Amino acid sequence: MLEEMRLDENIVLMGEEVGYYQGAYKVTQGLLEEFGSDRVVDTPIAEAGFAGIGIGAAMVGLRPIIEFMTWNFSFVAFDQIVQNAAKLYQMSAGQLQVPIVFRGPNGAAKQVSSQHSHAVEAFYTHVPGLWVCAPATPRDAKGLLKAAIRDNNPVIFLEGETLYGIKGEVPEVEEDEIIPIGKAAVAREGTDATIVTWGSPYYTSLAAAERLAGAGIECEIIDMRSLRPLDMETVLQSVRKTNRCVVVHEHWPYAGPGAEIVDGIQRDAMDHLDAPILRVTGQDVPMPYATNLEENVLPTEARVEEAVKQVCYRQ
Amino acid sequence: MRRPSIFLREGIPTAIRPDGTLDRTHAPDISTERKRELYVAMLRTRVIDGRLERLQRQGRIGFHIGSLGEEASILGSAMAMGAQDWIFPCYREFGALLSRGFPLQSYVDNMFANANDIVKGRQMPDHYTSRAHRFGSVSSPIGTQISQAVGFAWAAKLKRDPITVAVYFGDGATSSHDFHTGLNFAGVYGAPVLFLCRNNQWAISLPSNEQTASQNFAEKASSYGVAAKRCDGNDVLATYHTITEALGYIQREKKPMMIEMLTYRMGGHSTSDDPRAYRVDDEVDRWAKTDPLVRMRRHLEHLGGWNETDESEAKQAVEQELSQCIERAEAAPPPELDTMFDDVYQTRPPHLQQQASQLIHGPRAVDPHLR
Ligand SMILES: Cc1ncc(C[n+]2csc(CCOP(=O)(O)OP(=O)(O)O)c2C)c(N)n1
Ligand SMILES: [Mg+2]
């Protein structure tokens, strides 16, 4: 954000705790000091309000970044995002552009229970007019966010709440690396089974893949990075090679991008499949708080490992 | 970067004078015994807050959201209500719940999310519900309880149930649409709701003067045709008095009312927050001088109804009770795994039966063709 805000003074950042507090996760550290309170705006507690303010400001040429303290609170702004940001360009037949980024932490953090733990991708990927990004690595987070800020469509940017502490190389300013929206990455090469994932469960999948390698199963991991548009080509290429697939995600099992990916594979790679595709998902319940329960709601290494063994018909 | 919260307190009457004497026009006519109960309830709340904060620092519980400095607004209002009245809480009102006789053990079990927890380990600490104590569910998204309380009160009115529904919310919540919807509907339907705005002058790091351009929060109600008053939320007797009168008005006139209780959040927003990063120290020091416990204690001492021995005995009693509760809560087992599939629906549907069975017996146990 810092780099983009230096390049383009139309970029403004709005949200709760983004200014003086420097972000609930310190994501906006130093921004108020550098850009002042006209461009880094602490808002009253009204997500629908500042989402609408952002959409209005975008119509006249600002490029707002709207931060939700967490995506859980975006539901208050659902109407503005779904009914307005996503459709204004279409409804006005191109007369009103809404270049806006909605971003914030997504998914379960540790022990924040039912109303604070949503992985919201299933809600927003459903909506035509929105792009949806869900990076897992620091490098992708940076490159994709730059792409999102420069894109003229409204973008939903999901930052895994448990991933803020992950360290990794990111390119320098001069490199100006842009990761295109809608391009998946082969994060680990393998021959025996494909794991398709994104966001926090990417790390669970990586760990499971290491354990499976010990058992002689080499997994290929596809990190989707964006969920709308979906890069099915990269997924299909991998599945045609491995002939087996497990989709791992945090959101509830019923519908959503996880099911969408399975649908795409069965349609375009049916003849390559040696086993039914399995999914490892969050359990179909509101998130409980107690550690022993929460651990068993989220996709675990053990569950991923087991699912991969199942598609490989191994004990 | 730090800044103050600049909010006006002019024209708000107090009951307890600095020397401990009383301005009777703004004080309730209650016995010294009742006053002691009010004070002890505040003291108990403060002792519990202190202990829970320590438990969180030690990593024994995950979270606590306390009420340091806001005890008078919470207990002065809750204890003025009738047993038949309902409370829809915000999230800082555990003191109100305990004052209704909710067992401390149950509260502590909730903090530890153990098998005895009344909400079965599903909710974060301080997110309790107790229907038996006419105490609604703590909701994390800001403001949602406000319109729900209005609906609850409206239905009670239709059923000719003579109750008042009190709903707590913070100054920050007055920006939520539920606040505006709630006031509007309550005004139109004449719902017996007592809107309790706990103005502690901060919404995490946002001071009240950046939350609103209004002079105060009470004046917002008048545009919805809802009567409103401000009271000194750090004066438990002034609060108790204002609430008693408001409850009378609501039942007599069959109309809602809003009370803005002006107080101050002495601590962090929750155990996840350190306010020294964003607010100025002298503001905190200034408000510390209006500490609601100190003021009420001075009044009780003036009446000859409290002394040093009473104070240490009362504190010790709470500490002891707490220690026992914590010991029991820590020794209790966690909730059974299978319980996470309960109460999603009133009866467990087949797809959840399947998930439960897969979780507990392993995925291959139920899907024979994958073996
Ligand atoms: C819809 C929504 N947005 C944001 C939050 C994050 N949040 C939790 S508490 C809080 C501040 C609330 O302030 P106030 O209403 O004054 O109550 P106080 O905490 O001061 O008692 C915020 C912004 C939330 N819980 N829900
Ligand atoms: Mg507040």
Side-chain angles (χ1 to χ4, degrees):
Chain A
M1 281 190 284
L2 179 79
E3 289 176 19
E4 292 299 301
M5 288 179 81
R6 281 179 182 161
L7 291 178
D8 182 351
E9 62 178 29
N10 285 318
I11 300 170
V12 295
L13 171 68
M14 297 184 85
E16 292 152 3
E17 312 299 328
V18 298
Y20 283 82
Y21 200 86
Q22 323 235 11
Y25 288 88
K26 300 292 168 243
V27 171
T28 56
Q29 200 145 31
L31 296 186
L32 173 66
E33 221 160 340
E34 174 158 352
F35 300 108
S37 58
D38 278 353
R39 291 185 65 197
V40 179
V41 187
D42 273 330
T43 64
I45 310 176
E47 285 74 8
F50 59 82
I53 302 279
I55 293 168
M59 290 181 205
V60 289
L62 291 192
R63 304 184 74 83
I65 302 173
I66 302 296
E67 173 171 317
F68 294 118
M69 245 177 103
T70 84
W71 273 98
N72 300 285
F73 305 141
S74 74
F75 299 137
V76 186
F78 205 57
D79 188 49
Q80 285 290 350
I81 301 172
V82 175
Q83 289 278 38
N84 296 277
K87 298 177 187 166
L88 268 162
Y89 191 67
Q90 186 262 2
M91 293 190 300
S92 69
Q95 298 177 74
L96 297 172
Q97 256 188 7
V98 186
I100 193 167
V101 177
F102 297 101
R103 50 157 289 276
N106 181 48
K110 210 175 142 46
Q111 292 200 296
V112 288
S113 82
S114 44
Q115 293 177 313
H116 279 125
S117 300
H118 294 94
V120 299
E121 48 266 46
F123 297 106
Y124 292 107
T125 47
H126 193 59
V127 184
L130 300 177
W131 295 143
V132 180
C133 304
T137 68
R139 179 175 188 160
D140 288 343
K142 183 175 183 188
L144 262 174
L145 186 57
K146 281 172 168 272
I149 293 171
R150 295 180 193 187
D151 200 284
N152 283 333
N153 299 289
V155 181
I156 303 292
F157 201 86
L158 310 174
E159 300 162 6
E161 189 154 344
T162 51
L163 303 185
Y164 286 123
I166 301 272
K167 291 202 168 70
E169 296 271 318
V170 293
E172 295 298 325
V173 191
E174 307 78 52
E175 290 174 52
D176 196 32
E177 183 180 82
I178 304 287
I179 309 276
I181 298 173
K183 193 86 197 79
V186 181
R188 181 186 198 280
E189 292 198 22
T191 47
D192 302 327
T194 300
I195 299 177
V196 181
T197 187
W198 61 88
S200 308
Y202 163 79
Y203 294 94
T204 316
S205 304
L206 270 185
E210 291 313 315
R211 281 162 58 158
L212 285 158
I217 301 176
E218 287 299 336
C219 293
E220 181 142 301
I221 296 186
I222 308 297
D223 175 5
M224 293 308 292
R225 305 197 292 190
S226 296
L227 299 172
R228 199 185 239 271
L230 267 182
D231 179 5
M232 282 309 294
E233 222 17 74
T234 302
V235 174
L236 290 168
Q237 254 173 33
S238 175
V239 173
R240 287 183 187 125
K241 180 172 80 178
T242 63
N243 312 115
R244 298 156 201 278
C245 183
V246 173
V247 182
V248 183
H249 59 77
E250 191 177 322
H251 74 75
W252 288 312
Y254 199 110
E260 186 65 27
I261 290 165
V262 174
D263 173 64
I265 299 173
Q266 67 80 26
R267 196 154 4 87
D268 293 326
M270 183 71 175
D271 296 340
H272 295 269
L273 286 174
D274 285 345
I277 304 162
L278 292 187
R279 281 198 290 157
V280 178
T281 77
Q283 305 282 1
D284 203 13
V285 300
M287 182 66 77
Y289 171 83
T291 323
N292 67 318
L293 304 185
E294 179 173 37
E295 279 169 356
N296 280 287
V297 168
L298 293 169
T300 55
E301 274 174 50
R303 279 171 64 207
V304 176
E305 207 179 327
E306 168 65 20
V308 170
K309 284 184 177 165
Q310 280 190 55
V311 298
C312 294
Y313 299 111
R314 294 267 295 262
Q315 278 306 319
Chain B
M1 292 169 87
R2 308 205 284 175
R3 62 188 157 169
S5 178
I6 315 154
F7 217 68
L8 304 174
R9 53 167 301 132
E10 272 79 56
I12 296 182
T14 50
I16 306 171
R17 299 195 191 98
D19 62 358
T21 60
L22 216 55
D23 178 348
R24 290 190 187 282
T25 44
H26 302 299
D29 187 16
I30 53 174
S31 67
T32 305
E33 187 44 39
R34 185 65 178 151
K35 288 177 181 174
R36 279 172 60 117
E37 284 169 12
L38 279 166
Y39 179 71
V40 170
M42 293 200 291
L43 189 65
R44 188 168 184 234
T45 306
R46 183 163 292 187
V47 171
I48 295 169
D49 258 330
R51 180 75 81 86
L52 292 178
E53 196 169 311
R54 286 202 298 284
L55 285 185
Q56 195 277 339
R57 298 278 180 264
Q58 294 163 357
R60 287 157 75 188
I61 57 173
F63 177 81
H64 175 53
I65 186 153
S67 44
L68 185 67
E70 302 182 47
E71 297 90 347
S73 66
I74 293 167
L75 289 148
S77 52
M79 290 175 73
M81 286 171 220
Q84 75 286 355
D85 296 333
W86 268 77
I87 291 179
F88 274 61
C90 175
Y91 40 62
R92 283 191 206 286
E93 293 85 12
F94 74 90
L97 178 59
L98 294 176
S99 79
R100 296 201 141 193
F102 187 73
L104 185 59
Q105 184 66 57
S106 299
Y107 175 56
V108 174
D109 285 334
N110 171 254
M111 303 303 296
F112 283 90
N114 62 27
N116 303 329
D117 175 11
I118 189 165
V119 292
K120 303 184 181 173
R122 301 200 182 126
Q123 285 273 57
M124 286 173 75
D126 287 313
H127 288 58
Y128 27 70
T129 305
S130 181
R131 191 175 182 122
H133 297 89
R134 303 197 154 216
F135 201 90
S137 182
V138 172
S139 172
S140 301
I142 295 292
T144 52
Q145 76 277 19
I146 304 174
S147 46
Q148 292 166 10
V150 176
F152 196 103
W154 169 67
K157 184 182 165 186
L158 293 188
K159 295 202 296 190
R160 304 198 191 291
D161 191 358
I163 61 165
T164 299
V165 181
V167 57
Y168 286 94
F169 51 90
D171 43 287
T174 61
S175 295
S176 73
H177 71 121
D178 282 302
F179 169 75
H180 297 276
T181 307
L183 278 175
N184 190 39
F185 276 75
V188 174
Y189 295 166
V193 182
L194 175 59
F195 293 90
L196 292 172
C197 177
R198 216 177 7 73
N199 176 8
N200 62 11
Q201 311 195 46
W202 289 89
I204 312 185
S205 76
L206 198 77
S208 292
N209 53 300
E210 292 186 33
Q211 193 70 246
T212 184
S214 304
Q215 288 295 305
N216 57 62
F217 292 103
E219 73 177 32
K220 290 175 189 284
S222 66
S223 60
Y224 293 103
V226 175
K229 257 196 186 151
R230 302 179 83 198
C231 76
D232 183 342
N234 276 12
D235 179 335
V236 71
L237 293 179
T239 304
Y240 191 97
H241 180 63
T242 310
I243 301 300
T244 307
E245 294 202 323
L247 289 166
Y249 167 88
I250 291 167
Q251 284 304 326
R252 207 172 45 246
E253 305 288 327
K254 309 279 176 246
K255 282 182 179 166
M257 185 161 182
M258 170 163 151
I259 305 295
E260 175 187 345
M261 305 180 289
L262 187 69
T263 177
Y264 190 79
R265 196 193 79 207
M266 292 293 298
H269 170 72
S270 70
T271 47
S272 324
D273 175 39
D274 181 1
R276 281 172 302 190
Y278 55 79
R279 69 181 184 191
V280 293
D281 299 333
D282 64 341
E283 172 182 307
V284 185
D285 298 342
R286 195 153 29 83
W287 276 93
K289 296 203 180 89
T290 72
D291 186 320
L293 270 73
V294 174
R295 289 168 74 184
M296 184 57 175
R297 180 175 169 182
R298 204 171 291 145
H299 173 60
L300 279 176
E301 284 170 353
H302 166 79
L303 292 178
W306 198 256
N307 59 34
E308 197 48 59
T309 321
D310 293 327
E311 179 85 7
S312 60
E313 280 177 6
K315 276 188 184 159
Q316 218 177 1
V318 186
E319 290 284 9
Q320 256 172 21
E321 188 190 1
L322 249 179
S323 299
Q324 281 176 5
C325 292
I326 292 166
E327 203 173 305
R328 281 200 211 107
E330 274 185 318
E336 292 285 339
L337 217 48
D338 184 69
T339 61
M340 76 161 88
F341 299 99
D342 289 338
D343 307 325
V344 182
Y345 299 93
Q346 298 206 333
T347 49
R348 195 183 286 190
H351 78 278
L352 286 184
Q353 288 172 17
Q354 189 190 355
Q355 277 181 43
S357 141
Q358 283 187 341
L359 180 66
I360 289 152
H361 307 295
R364 300 187 199 215
V366 286
D367 217 347
H369 81 273
L370 281 177
R371 245 176 245 174

